[in-house]
Structure formats: structure tokens, C-alpha cells
Amino acid sequence: MRILITGGAGFLGSHLCDRLIEQGHEIICLDNFFTGRKVNVEHLIGNPRFELVRHDVIDHFKFEVDRIYNLACPASPPHYQYNPIKTMKTSVLGAINCLGLAKRVNARVFQASTSEVYGDPLVHPQTEGYWGHVNPIGLRSCYDEGKRCAETLFFDYHREHGVDIRVIRIFNTYGPRMLADDGRVVSNFIVQALQGKDITVYGEGSQTRSFCFVDDLVDGFMRFMEQEKTVGPMNLGNPGEFTMLQLAELVLKKVGGKSKITHKELPADDPKQRKPDITLARDILGWEPKVPLEEGIEKTIAYFRESLGLK
Ligand code: NAD
Ligand code: UDP
């Protein structure tokens, strides 16, 4: 198949490019390189089945494709809050452009939605039926509400125009090719520990997250895209739940060194807990994350050691 991946030079997108190329597909990777990098897909350049296009999803585009994975959007709080209006445009206009293209060329279109649609959840663990608890006017709203609006557009194009959609809600995912200065917790802690700096835990560190290794997530993406039973939304993530203090201690144990834990102010609207209910993914995809946190953290530490030249 010919497959368009928006945000294909980013963390998740570049791993998806690799897996789909391995399966023999043709890939068009569209990215504006805001948080993505050419180096993430450098090894694919020169492959006759791979094309890299510098383009912004908020501007119209046209490709003859069979599948569209819409991943374009900065995912870390510092990056999506850098230009919140642009973040909202990316989610909303990006979704409209992908859906319009899917309608025109009869392609199946996948939306990388997020656990952020649940906001600071009052239901735990989160099931797909939960409508969420989201602040519409806060610092995280450009991302949370942008992604919620994109979901609305996906379901309206599906109902109104019969567009073949797939909507996935991704919970925190980590692994090689995250940006060292991305601002997300796993990359922050690992890079701080490797550089012998203090580990910055925001607040008391009792807030929880569930961390999925990238290989597991991308496997779930491809299974979900090619199944016919549901258009979603479907949660994908690792149901293991850890406090940020536990994560900091694990990273310290694995890296060694002399870093200490320090506490910084908790960002506004920071969700207190997050854990996916993945019953639907288990039932429909037969999918289950395989990589335990310790193993995934070791692989991610190895990646940052090498990419930061600390070997
Ligand atoms: P990332 O920041 O590494 O990747 C996003 C990519 O989109 C980057 O390559 C960036 O340059 C590109 N991009 C941003 N704005 C664009 C625009 N206007 N036009 C074209 N390209 C643009 O983040 P990621 O972790 O790989 O996330 C990929 C997708 O998955 C995002 O949509 C994100 O919201 C979603 N997601 C990720 C996670 C996670 O934990 N990694 C969790 C929930 C949802
Ligand atoms: N966090 C932290 N130290 C950091 C970066 C993040 O304690 O250096 C916390 C953050 O406050 C949040 C959790 O880690 O409670 C996950 O943050 P991240 O930005 O990775 O993802 P999100 O909040 O979007 O789930």
C-alpha cells in the first residue's frame, strides 16, 4: 500500500515508518520538523519506497494514498504550549486536511488521539466510555481540546461522509528517538541522570502515569489500522501504573551516578493519575504490551547514552 504518515519524522512516526517499510509498503513521510528531525528517518532516505516531504499539515495537501496515519502534533507540554494557537490549528486543521484527503481518495485514516482527552480523570482506570474531565481554558487546553475537537471531526466525517476512520487514544509512550530536551518525564529523568544533574520531580511526585514502550505501541497501531471490527476510539498503553517518584528511583538505579531528586513546582492542570483500561484492545486486537518498564528504560538509557556521546 501507499501510506501517508503526518508527523512521520517525530518520535512515534519514525518508528512507524520503519515498521511499515519493513512490511513492504511505500511511505510518504510529511513533517514540518517542529519537534521531528531528519536524523530519525535518515536511514530510510534513498530507499525507493520512502519519500520525505517538508510540509505543514495546516496547509492543504494532496497525495494518492491508501492509508493515512495522522500523527502531526507536538506531544510534550513545553512544546505544545510554546505556540498554543498553532497547536490548536495543527490538531484541528490537520484533522480536516487528512479527513478531506481520505474522503477524496477513499483512504482509511488514523488519528493519533491521546489520554489527554480524559483530562484530570475522575474515573480510574480510564475506559473509552469515559467522557473526561478537561479544563477548556487552561495551559494544557490547546492540546487537550484540540485533540478532542479532532476526534469530533473524525466521527462527524465518518457519520456524514462514510470516511473510513480509526481513532486511537495513546497513553504516555517512551523510547529511543525522544528528543533529549523534549520536556517529557522519561527523557528528562534519563538525560538528567546521565549528565549527573538533579532529577526534577514536579510536585511531590505522587502523581501516576502508565508508560508504554514504543515498539509495543507501534505494533498496536498497525493491528488497529488493519482490523475491521471497530473504528474506535480505542485506548493503547501499558496498564502498569507508577508514581513519578518511583520512576525517578528506577532511573537512578539503572543509570547509577550521583544525581539527587529535587522537587519543582507542579505545572497547572497536571493530571493526578493516569492508567488505561485496555480490555477493548485485548479483545479486538489480541494486543498486550510486552516490554516491562525496567527493560524499556534500559533500552532508552542506552539510546541516550549513545546519542549524547556519553559512552
Ligand atoms: P513528536 O513531537 O516527536 O512528533 C510529532 C511530529 O509532528 C514531529 O515530527 C513534528 O515535527 C510534527 N509536526 C508537529 N506539528 C506539525 C505540523 N503543523 N505539520 C507537520 N508536522 C508537524 O511526538 P510523538 O510522541 O511522536 O507524538 C506523535 C503523535 O502521537 C502526536 O499526535 C501526539 O499527540 C500523539 N501522542 C503521543 C503520545 C506519547 O506519549 N508519545 C501520547 C499521546 C498522544
Ligand atoms: N514530570 C516531572 N518531572 C519532569 C517532567 C515531568 O515530574 O522533569 C511529571 C509531570 O508533572 C507529569 C508527569 O511527569 O505529572 C508526566 O509528564 P509528561 O510531560 O511526560 O506527560 P503528561 O503530563 O502529558 O502525561
Side-chain angles (χ1 to χ4, degrees):
M1 285 189 283
R2 189 175 301 143
I3 303 177
L4 171 65
I5 306 178
T6 76
F11 162 49
L12 298 179
S14 62
H15 286 278
L16 182 62
C17 287
D18 285 348
R19 296 289 297 280
L20 292 170
I21 285 277
E22 263 167 41
Q23 291 189 342
H25 300 291
E26 275 180 44
I27 304 299
I28 301 171
C29 169
L30 179 153
D31 208 295
N32 72 349
F33 301 116
F34 175 43
T35 50
R37 293 171 297 170
K38 276 189 202 157
V39 69
N40 287 343
V41 290
E42 177 176 51
H43 53 287
L44 299 174
I45 292 169
N47 184 319
R49 287 187 284 107
F50 181 79
E51 281 173 75
L52 181 59
V53 180
R54 180 190 284 267
H55 189 80
D56 199 303
V57 281
I58 74 171
D59 298 323
H60 181 254
F61 48 88
K62 232 177 180 175
F63 300 100
E64 282 294 329
V65 288
D66 308 292
R67 297 280 186 268
I68 303 166
Y69 283 89
N70 184 33
L71 271 61
C73 188
S76 87
H79 283 126
Y80 69 64
Q81 289 168 20
Y82 172 74
N83 185 345
I85 297 168
K86 176 67 193 252
T87 299
M88 181 63 99
K89 282 186 182 169
T90 295
S91 274
V92 175
L93 298 175
I96 291 174
N97 285 331
C98 287
L99 287 159
L101 177 63
K103 181 177 167 222
R104 205 171 319 121
V105 301
N106 210 12
R108 179 173 293 175
V109 58
F110 170 110
Q111 169 65 1
S113 190
T114 168
S115 55
E116 291 287 324
V117 301
Y118 301 123
D120 191 3
L122 303 177
V123 166
H124 195 75
Q126 292 77 54
T127 56
E128 291 85 353
Y130 178 49
W131 291 353
H133 179 231
V134 179
N135 177 356
I137 57 167
L139 293 177
R140 294 173 84 101
S141 311
C142 59
Y143 183 75
D144 300 8
E145 297 289 18
K147 289 283 187 179
R148 285 169 68 95
C149 179
E151 285 201 11
T152 306
L153 285 161
F154 267 71
F155 280 85
D156 281 335
Y157 268 76
H158 178 60
R159 281 186 291 258
E160 294 289 308
H161 301 298
V163 172
D164 191 11
I165 62 163
R166 297 288 183 276
V167 176
I168 213 100
R169 292 182 179 152
I170 306 165
F171 284 66
N172 295 62
T173 300
Y174 69 97
R177 299 189 194 152
M178 291 181 95
L179 284 175
D181 61 354
D182 188 65
R184 282 182 273 189
V185 68
V186 173
S187 45
N188 268 13
F189 285 3
I190 291 178
V191 171
Q192 287 163 346
L194 286 171
Q195 295 178 335
K197 295 183 180 156
D198 287 348
I199 310 262
T200 54
V201 170
Y202 299 161
E204 288 179 5
S206 56
Q207 69 273 37
T208 67
R209 293 292 186 275
S210 299
F211 297 103
C212 185
F213 190 64
V214 58
D215 292 358
D216 282 332
L217 187 84
V218 169
D219 175 51
F221 276 13
M222 297 187 306
R223 287 186 196 211
F224 178 66
M225 183 65 135
E226 298 310 328
Q227 56 75 38
E228 309 292 332
K229 289 185 190 145
T230 179
V231 298
M234 181 184 280
N235 289 338
L236 278 189
N238 192 322
E241 186 183 7
F242 298 87
T243 66
M244 294 312 101
L245 263 184
Q246 285 175 317
L247 179 71
E249 278 155 12
L250 174 65
V251 169
L252 276 177
K253 183 177 96 183
K254 293 286 168 193
V255 173
K258 293 191 202 110
S259 300
K260 291 189 200 63
I261 292 176
T262 57
H263 292 267
K264 285 196 164 179
E265 201 183 332
L266 192 66
D269 294 333
D270 199 274
K272 287 180 252 337
Q273 51 182 4
R274 206 44 102 39
K275 171 183 163 133
D277 180 320
I278 59 164
T279 310
L280 189 66
R282 278 199 187 106
D283 289 353
I284 296 212
L285 311 179
W287 178 86
E288 187 110 37
K290 295 197 185 80
V291 181
L293 185 64
E294 282 212 31
E295 186 186 327
I297 289 288
E298 280 168 12
K299 289 183 177 171
T300 312
I301 291 170
Y303 165 78
F304 278 117
R305 251 190 226 290
E306 190 169 331
S307 64
L308 297 172
L310 295 169
K311 242 183 182 165

